[in-house]
Amino acid sequence: MIDELKQDAQERMAKTIEALGSNFNKIRTGRAHPSLLDGIRVSYYGSETPLSQVANIGIEDARTLTVTPWEKNIVPDVEKAIMKSDLGLNPSTAGAVIRIPMPALTEETRKGYIKQARQEAESARVSIRNTRRDVLADIKELLKEKDISEDEERRAQDDVQKITDKYIAEVDKALAVKEKDLMEI
């Protein structure tokens, strides 16, 4: 029973780390990376479709992305969707290929992105702590029901704390990597 609770806690905390990684990918660094465009949706035959499903996204060089729509007639829609996104990108079209140069980050925007990254990391920590709280409440419930002894409860609490510490350390490590990435010129 306790092992199931610990396994559940680990799975939920791992999902939090995964979500943090995808949130960090949305924070733009000075380099071109296809995941920057993950959140962009294009109006395609009347429905909002992810950009990656209507076009091929590639990297031309370290600071330029290329987007090649499958169909030539949706090039203006793709360009419009990229401009409307809050990423601050200005695409330029050359035939069927849309080039997106990555503007250099100013000191001010770097600090803003670092602040955003820290907020994302803090919300991940909170999520991990909430998972710990839920599991500890379940363990206390097992003790109350007399399904486990007090020694088993104490041991389980220590194990859950160790799992929590491990995942909080992963969040801190991911944040340090993202901050270093953002400060690179």
Side-chain angles (χ1 to χ4, degrees):
M1 185 69 94
I2 291 173
D3 289 339
E4 289 172 15
L5 289 173
K6 288 192 286 191
Q7 184 64 38
D8 178 52
Q10 274 193 309
E11 287 170 9
R12 286 170 58 189
M13 289 178 188
K15 284 180 184 168
T16 300
I17 297 292
E18 218 174 278
L20 178 67
S22 71
N23 287 343
F24 275 175
N25 283 342
K26 291 176 186 159
I27 299 174
R28 183 166 70 82
T29 59
R31 280 189 301 263
H33 197 276
S35 66
L36 283 172
L37 305 177
D38 282 352
I40 296 178
R41 297 190 164 281
V42 179
S43 178
Y44 184 64
Y45 291 112
S47 67
E48 293 295 311
T49 310
L51 179 61
S52 59
Q53 291 181 14
V54 298
N56 184 26
I57 303 169
I59 301 172
E60 190 170 280
D61 58 48
R63 291 197 173 276
T64 310
L65 286 174
T66 57
V67 178
T68 312
W70 307 137
E71 297 177 27
K72 195 172 174 93
N73 63 335
I74 64 165
V75 170
D77 294 335
V78 171
E79 193 173 17
K80 207 179 303 169
I82 293 168
M83 288 169 100
K84 280 185 182 173
S85 72
D86 59 351
L87 296 172
L89 302 173
N90 292 316
S92 63
T93 307
V97 178
I98 301 169
R99 284 187 176 71
I100 307 167
M102 294 290 127
L105 297 178
T106 64
E107 190 67 27
E108 193 176 308
T109 54
R110 286 177 198 276
K111 287 180 178 167
Y113 285 142
I114 287 175
K115 189 174 181 183
Q116 184 182 352
R118 287 180 179 157
Q119 288 171 343
E120 294 289 351
E122 185 53 37
S123 62
R125 286 187 203 103
V126 168
S127 176
I128 289 170
R129 289 186 201 116
N130 287 342
T131 301
R132 176 188 62 192
R133 183 195 62 217
D134 294 345
V135 171
L136 290 180
D138 291 343
I139 291 171
K140 282 196 187 321
E141 193 61 39
L142 287 175
L143 179 67
K144 205 184 274 184
E145 303 277 325
K146 303 270 190 249
D147 288 339
I148 59 173
S149 68
E150 285 184 21
D151 288 345
E152 288 174 314
E153 180 213 18
R154 172 59 57 205
R155 223 171 294 121
Q157 283 180 347
D158 291 345
D159 290 347
V160 169
Q161 186 59 48
K162 284 177 189 164
I163 293 168
T164 303
D165 292 343
K166 178 182 124 189
Y167 282 100
I168 294 279
E170 277 189 46
V171 168
D172 293 340
K173 192 169 74 177
L175 177 62
V177 167
K178 188 63 178 182
E179 282 183 351
K180 181 178 173 275
D181 206 18
L182 282 166
M183 288 315 289
E184 267 179 26
I185 297 175

